[in-house]
């Protein structure tokens, strides 16, 4: 084991923040003694149970049994790994985080991520203020449309909805006065270079503007919607999202996820809709775990992101023909993805905003609670109106279509495939074994026709082509092991002594062994062995939580009188040695009882057992 990420970088990032400010920007903190408390966002917390320790720069929820430092908070909040968490914080602190041999971007240039973020943030604010304060006919029409859709001023401000004037270079000219070049605006997906090659013009003109934010609440792109009833010659596409940029990839982003993540984790499900206004209308009605795709169908990358937070995904589709086609398209996604994917097709051709306006929050939440999974949804549409016992031809066609879709999803999840075949067997009265044979044959034929490619796989799925170790499950740390690490935390200079005197073989739990290995790595690389250094060295979130738990246990005992750590350590070391002597003696006795040693070997082994017992009792051997 070695320290996997630049330790100095982690230290610089950690020092750039106060954990109270980071957590306080998302949760309401209130002081309690020397610490702060908040309602935990990951369970139904009626009494504040999330504690923040400003001295240690740690946090802990005892109900959820999660905790750690600033990095683990971002990991838990955003559902990301350690690498993504440190990148997020480094970006926010303006600390350069480079991997590989990437060349350094010119500050303020089109390859400078910070400059692009500043440009999109500026644009979002400019569009918002324009809709807020301008009184021209086009902004009046924009506000009237929002009112018609039932979007009130509170929601307009919460989602920072703005308006892009129907002018060729309004934003480009305005931004240039703030030092944001047209090249930066183009790189941020806000401007387009003129066909002549000289000059730029605004991408978004004459549209309602919706900022698209990432999980760190940073605006990374914009989406624009035309207002019905405008000049048809200038209309263009109904929705336009910003193009792919260094900041934004529509297949990897979901509108509103930054606002919905806490509600998603609490409720155990997420509703995925198709447009900005659908999300806004649902939130306004009190439905919080809701997001929207951004001009693309729900895809594998989206599922990968949502799976960090929840296992149940409910796709809410418009009740028109296009919505029904999209329901068919996601079935293959359901087959291959390890997620409970449900589908709602709204009645009467309504979209979610219209449905909520007419029927209310309870009706949509009831539909979500009883939504069929993607397989049942497709099956119900195929056999609607068919007598499966008499309409043999139609029933066979329906079964063939279902097998085609399952085959298209491959056989990556054999358990799920088996369950689907059993459901088809029960529905059509066809033996499951026969269906399996036919499905396997279809999959083989497909694989022979296609060149194997992993281009469309997510990173997670691509890595499963080879063996991937299962996540480590930490074992409880207790007894002497717990006491050892509490002493090492309480008095770090004893940690160096423990590394010399405590054998890793004495430790029973993987938690204790991982902690000891972390201390050893720190010592080998010349770092301090204090609590902060150990916390920064650990990148495995559950292990961070264990370390905080140990530290909090020490803090809770601080008011009680106990022997000094050095005395407790010497006593503990003797107990470890005594325990190990007993283990060794038991092994030696077992070897004697096997009677596979000759007389001389048995005599030497017996003598060793006696000497060990005498030494343990403090008796001299002379």
């Amino acid at each position: 084991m070695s320290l996997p990420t630049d330790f100095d970088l982690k230290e610089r990032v950690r020092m750039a923040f106060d954990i109270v400010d980071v957590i306080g920007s998302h949760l309401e903190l209130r002081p309690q003694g020397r610490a702060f408390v908040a309602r935990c966002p990951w369970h139904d917390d009626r009494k504040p149970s999330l504690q923040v320790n400003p001295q240690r720069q740690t946090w802990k929820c005892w109900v959820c049994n999660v905790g750690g430092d600033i990095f683990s908070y971002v990991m838990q909040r955003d559902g990301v790994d350690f690498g993504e968490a440190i990148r997020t914080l480094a970006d926010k602190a303006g600390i350069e985080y480079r991997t590989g041999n990437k060349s350094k971007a010119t500050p303020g240039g089109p390859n400078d991520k910070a400059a692009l973020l500043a440009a999109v943030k500026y644009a979002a604010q400019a569009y918002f203020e324009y809709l807020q304060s301008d009184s021209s006919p086009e902004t009046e029409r924009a506000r009237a449309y929002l009112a018609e859709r039932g979007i009130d001023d509170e929601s307009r401000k919460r989602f920072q909805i703005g308006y892009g004037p129907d002018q060729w270079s309004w934003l480009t000219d305005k931004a240039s006065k703030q030092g944001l070049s047209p090249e930066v605006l183009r790189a941020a997906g806000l401007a387009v270079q003129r066909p002549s090659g000289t000059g730029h013009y605004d991408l978004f003109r004459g549209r309602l503007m919706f900022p698209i934010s990432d999980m760190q609440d940073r605006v990374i792109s914009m989406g624009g919607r035309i207002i019905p009833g405008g000049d048809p010659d200038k209309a263009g596409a109904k929705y336009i999202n910003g193009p792919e940029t260094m900041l934004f990839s529509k297949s990897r982003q979901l509108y509103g996820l930054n606002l919905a993540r806490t509600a998603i984790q609490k409720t155990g499900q997420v509703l995925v809709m198709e447009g900005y206004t659908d999300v806004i209308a649902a939130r306004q009605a009190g439905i919080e775990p809701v997001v929207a795709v951004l001009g693309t169908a729900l895809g594998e990358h989206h599922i990968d992101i949502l799976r960090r937070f929840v296992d149940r995904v409910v796709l809410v589709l418009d009740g028109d023909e296009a919505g029904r086609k999209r329901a068919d398209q996601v079935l293959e996604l359901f087959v291959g993805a390890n997620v409970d994917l449900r589908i709602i097709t709204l009645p009467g051709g309504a979209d979610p905003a219209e449905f909520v306006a007419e029927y209310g929050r309870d009706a949509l939440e009831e539909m979500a609670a009883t939504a069929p999974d993607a397989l049942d949804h497709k099956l119900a549409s195929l056999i609607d109106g068919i007598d499966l016992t008499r309409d043999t031809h139609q029933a066979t066609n329906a079964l063939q279509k279902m097998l085609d879709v399952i085959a298209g999803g491959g056989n990556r999840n054999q358990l799920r495939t088996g369950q689907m075949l059993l459901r088809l067997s029960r529905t059509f009265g066809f033996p499951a074994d026969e269906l399996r044979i036919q499905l396997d044959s279809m999959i083989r034929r497909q694989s022979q026709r296609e060149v194997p490619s992993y281009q469309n796989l997510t990173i997670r799925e691509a890595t499963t082509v080879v063996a991937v170790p299962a996540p480590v499950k930490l074992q409880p740390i207790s007894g002497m092991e717990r006491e050892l690490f509490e002493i090492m935390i309480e008095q770090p200079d004893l940690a160096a002594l423990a590394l010399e005197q405590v054998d890793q073989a004495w430790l029973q739990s993987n938690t204790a062994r991982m902690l000891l290995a972390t201390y050893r790595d720190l010592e080998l690389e010349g770092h301090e062995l204090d609590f902060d250094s150990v916390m920064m060295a650990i990148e495995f979130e559950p292990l961070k939580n264990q370390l905080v738990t140990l530290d909090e246990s020490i803090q809770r005992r601080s008011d009680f009188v106990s022997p000094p750590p050095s005395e407790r350590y010497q006593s503990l070391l003797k107990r470890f040695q005594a325990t190990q002597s007993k283990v060794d003696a038991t092994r030696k006795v077992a070897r004697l009882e096997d009677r596979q040693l000759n007389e001389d070997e048995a005599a030497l082994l017996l003598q060793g057992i006696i000497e060990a017992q005498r030494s343990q009792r403090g008796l001299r051997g002379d």
Side-chain angles (χ1 to χ4, degrees), residues 109-113 115-121 123-124 127 171-172 175 181-193 200-205 207 209-212 219-224 240-249 276:
N111 293 321
D112 181 7
K113 186 176 180 181
L116 269 58
L117 285 168
V120 186
K121 180 180 180 181
Y127 291 138
L171 179 66
T172 305
S181 70
E183 289 76 20
V184 167
L185 292 183
R186 184 179 66 193
L190 298 167
V192 180
Q193 189 169 23
H200 293 74
Y201 61 90
D202 296 350
L203 174 63
F204 300 100
R205 304 181 309 281
R207 290 175 179 270
M209 299 303 299
F210 298 85
I212 299 167
V219 183
I220 56 172
S221 188
M222 300 295 301
I240 292 180
N241 291 306
E244 301 280 312
T245 69
M246 183 189 298
L247 306 177
F248 175 64
S249 172
Y276 322 113

Side-chain angles (χ1 to χ4, degrees), residues 26-326:
H26 293 89
L27 303 177
E28 183 179 348
L29 292 175
R30 63 177 177 82
Q32 187 177 84
R34 291 175 293 179
F36 292 85
V37 294
R39 294 186 186 277
C40 176
W42 299 295
H43 74 276
D44 188 13
D45 195 3
R46 301 179 187 277
K47 181 180 179 181
S49 56
L50 187 145
Q51 300 177 347
V52 180
N53 186 329
Q55 285 76 35
R56 284 296 204 186
Q57 290 290 294
T58 59
W59 65 280
K60 174 80 178 181
C61 175
W62 297 94
V63 177
C64 296
N65 192 27
V66 293
D69 57 5
I70 190 172
F71 301 111
S72 55
Y73 177 75
V74 174
M75 291 165 71
Q76 179 75 17
R77 184 194 68 190
D78 295 349
V80 297
D81 61 15
F82 183 88
E84 185 61 32
I86 194 171
R87 274 191 292 272
T88 294
L89 291 167
D91 282 347
K92 194 168 185 179
I95 296 172
E96 185 179 355
Y97 184 97
R98 283 192 291 163
T99 57
N101 296 317
K102 293 182 180 178
S103 59
K104 187 174 181 179
T106 302
N111 293 321
D112 181 7
K113 186 176 180 181
L116 269 58
L117 285 168
V120 186
K121 180 180 180 181
Y122 175 80
Q125 186 65 28
Y127 291 138
F128 174 76
E129 289 176 355
Y130 189 80
L131 182 59
Q132 176 88 347
S133 59
D134 186 71
S135 58
S136 65
E138 60 178 341
T139 52
E140 292 292 347
R141 188 159 53 89
R143 286 190 285 268
Y145 172 74
L146 290 176
E148 179 186 325
R149 294 288 288 177
I151 297 174
D152 58 26
D153 279 351
E154 183 180 346
S155 292
R156 179 172 60 83
K157 292 174 182 177
R158 177 192 299 167
F159 287 90
Q160 290 290 289
I161 302 171
Y163 185 78
D166 191 9
Q167 302 172 29
W168 280 103
S169 57
W170 179 84
L171 179 66
T172 305
D173 295 341
K174 191 177 179 67
S176 65
K177 296 175 182 177
Q178 302 299 319
L180 296 168
S181 70
E183 289 76 20
V184 167
L185 292 183
R186 184 179 66 193
L190 298 167
V192 180
Q193 189 169 23
R194 295 184 185 277
S196 63
T198 58
H200 293 74
Y201 61 90
D202 296 350
L203 174 63
F204 300 100
R205 304 181 309 281
R207 290 175 179 270
L208 275 169
M209 299 303 299
F210 298 85
I212 299 167
S213 298
D214 64 8
M215 292 295 291
Q216 289 74 55
D217 299 318
R218 302 175 301 185
V219 183
I220 56 172
S221 188
M222 300 295 301
R225 191 202 193 285
I226 61 170
I227 302 172
D231 186 346
D233 294 332
K234 297 183 178 180
K238 181 179 177 181
Y239 287 102
I240 292 180
N241 291 306
E244 301 280 312
T245 69
M246 183 189 298
L247 306 177
F248 175 64
S249 172
K250 63 183 179 181
S251 65
R252 298 174 183 272
Q253 301 289 343
L254 289 154
Y255 181 72
L257 183 58
N258 60 314
L259 299 175
R261 60 187 166 202
T262 299
I264 290 170
Q265 291 172 314
K266 275 187 177 180
T267 60
Q269 73 173 12
V270 58
L271 278 63
V272 182
M273 298 181 176
E274 297 188 77
Y276 322 113
T277 54
D278 295 326
V279 169
I280 295 167
R283 292 282 305 210
Q284 193 169 290
I287 304 173
E288 295 187 350
V290 56
V291 299
V293 289
L294 292 160
T296 182
L298 184 70
E300 291 178 344
H301 292 310
H302 296 131
I303 292 295
D304 238 15
I305 292 166
L306 293 173
R307 195 162 44 195
R308 299 172 184 171
F309 301 98
V310 73
D311 293 325
R312 193 173 195 267
V313 177
V314 182
L315 183 59
V316 185
L317 297 172
D318 297 354
D320 56 13
E321 181 61 28
R324 286 189 286 273
K325 288 182 179 178
R326 283 189 287 276

Side-chain angles (χ1 to χ4, degrees), residues 484-529:
L484 170 66
F485 288 103
E486 287 183 354
I487 291 171
M488 292 169 72
I489 292 169
E490 190 174 359
Q491 191 163 323
D493 60 336
L494 290 174
L497 189 60
L499 291 178
E500 294 179 8
Q501 298 178 327
V502 175
D503 190 331
Q504 185 167 315
W506 298 356
L507 306 177
Q508 301 300 309
S509 70
N510 61 354
T511 303
R513 291 193 294 271
M514 289 170 71
L515 280 175
L516 191 66
T518 302
Y519 272 96
R520 289 195 192 284
D521 289 338
L522 284 168
E523 185 183 46
L524 286 172
E525 296 194 16
H527 295 294
E528 297 292 331
L529 300 182

Side-chain angles (χ1 to χ4, degrees), residues 35 47 52 85 92-93 171 217-218 226 284 294 327 346 362 391 411 420 424 430 435-436 476 496 539 555-556 566:
K47 181 180 179 181
V52 180
K92 194 168 185 179
L171 179 66
D217 299 318
R218 302 175 301 185
I226 61 170
Q284 193 169 290
L294 292 160
L346 298 174
D362 292 344
D391 298 339
N411 201 17
M420 289 188 287
L424 294 182
F430 204 87
L435 293 177
R436 167 60 79 174
E539 297 185 4
Q555 304 303 319
R556 290 180 177 185
S566 57

Side-chain angles (χ1 to χ4, degrees), residues 406-475:
I406 296 173
N411 201 17
R412 282 175 281 169
N413 190 326
Q414 293 190 22
L415 178 60
R416 170 166 289 200
T417 300
Q419 292 172 334
M420 289 188 287
L421 291 177
L422 284 175
R423 287 156 69 179
L424 294 182
S425 174
R426 289 193 295 267
T427 301
F428 291 95
F430 204 87
D433 291 343
E434 300 269 348
L435 293 177
R436 167 60 79 174
I437 292 171
Q438 187 173 350
L439 178 65
D440 289 344
S441 176
M442 294 167 68
I443 292 174
R444 281 196 301 272
R445 288 198 299 271
Q446 285 185 0
S447 64
Q448 290 168 359
R449 290 195 303 268
E450 300 172 359
V451 178
S453 171
Y454 299 111
Q455 285 184 332
N456 296 324
L457 293 180
T458 62
I459 292 174
R460 181 179 301 178
E461 290 164 342
T463 55
T464 59
V465 175
V466 294
V468 176
V472 177
K473 184 176 182 180
L474 293 184
Q475 298 161 339

